[in-house]
């Protein structure tokens, strides 16, 4: 259950970075990046909830709900104390997403200069 709570906390943190209130702290520059954070958050949350231990019984649903709620409470408390340092994983993920775009621009620079 600790694994479920940790993964769901990370997912809730990414989704909080996509929220309008925390976009500046997460260094989200446009709606596309917010969408990427939401998609990554939902993917991680679904993996966390599907890997919560047992077969499809009542115990699994209790573990899923308990893990997701523990992760959510931890994220809310952390964001209320210090939002900017807490959103460092969201900024790191956005840097990784932005990196290929920079490489494409740098690679096309000689072609653009030659066309002028």
């Amino acid at each position: 259950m600790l694994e479920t709570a940790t993964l769901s906390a990370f997912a809730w943190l990414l989704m909080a970075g996509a929220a309008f209130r925390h976009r500046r702290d997460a260094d989200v520059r446009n709606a596309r990046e917010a969408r990427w954070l939401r998609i990554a958050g939902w993917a991680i949350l679904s993996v966390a909830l599907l890997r919560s231990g047992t077969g499809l019984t009542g115990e699994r649903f209790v573990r899923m709900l308990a893990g997701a709620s523990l992760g959510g409470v931890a994220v809310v408390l952390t964001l209320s104390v210090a939002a900017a340092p807490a959103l460092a994983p969201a900024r790191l993920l956005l840097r990784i997403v932005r990196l290929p775009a920079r490489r494409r621009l740098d690679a096309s620079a000689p072609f653009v200069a030659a066309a002028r």
Side-chain angles (χ1 to χ4, degrees):
M1 189 153 126
L2 179 64
E3 173 187 338
T4 304
T6 305
L7 281 175
S8 63
F10 182 65
W12 290 124
L13 187 67
L14 290 179
M15 287 189 274
F20 184 74
R21 181 177 182 182
H22 298 293
R23 281 187 185 179
R24 183 179 37 201
D25 293 330
D27 194 28
V28 176
R29 296 180 184 163
N30 53 31
R32 178 181 168 265
E33 292 176 352
R35 193 175 314 116
W36 272 109
L37 285 178
R38 280 191 200 107
I39 290 170
W42 280 111
I44 293 171
L45 186 63
S46 63
V47 166
L49 295 181
L50 291 175
R51 289 183 40 99
S52 60
T54 64
L56 286 175
T57 60
E59 181 183 354
R60 182 174 186 165
F61 291 115
V62 169
R63 285 182 183 217
M64 287 187 329
L65 292 175
S69 62
L70 284 174
V73 168
V75 168
V76 168
L77 290 175
T78 305
L79 289 176
S80 66
V81 172
L87 290 169
R91 285 192 300 272
L92 178 67
L93 183 66
L94 286 174
R95 277 190 215 123
I96 292 170
V97 170
R98 289 179 193 146
L99 186 64
R102 272 192 242 139
R103 284 187 183 163
R104 283 194 302 262
L105 290 176
D106 291 343
S108 66
F111 300 112
V112 173
R116 291 183 187 171

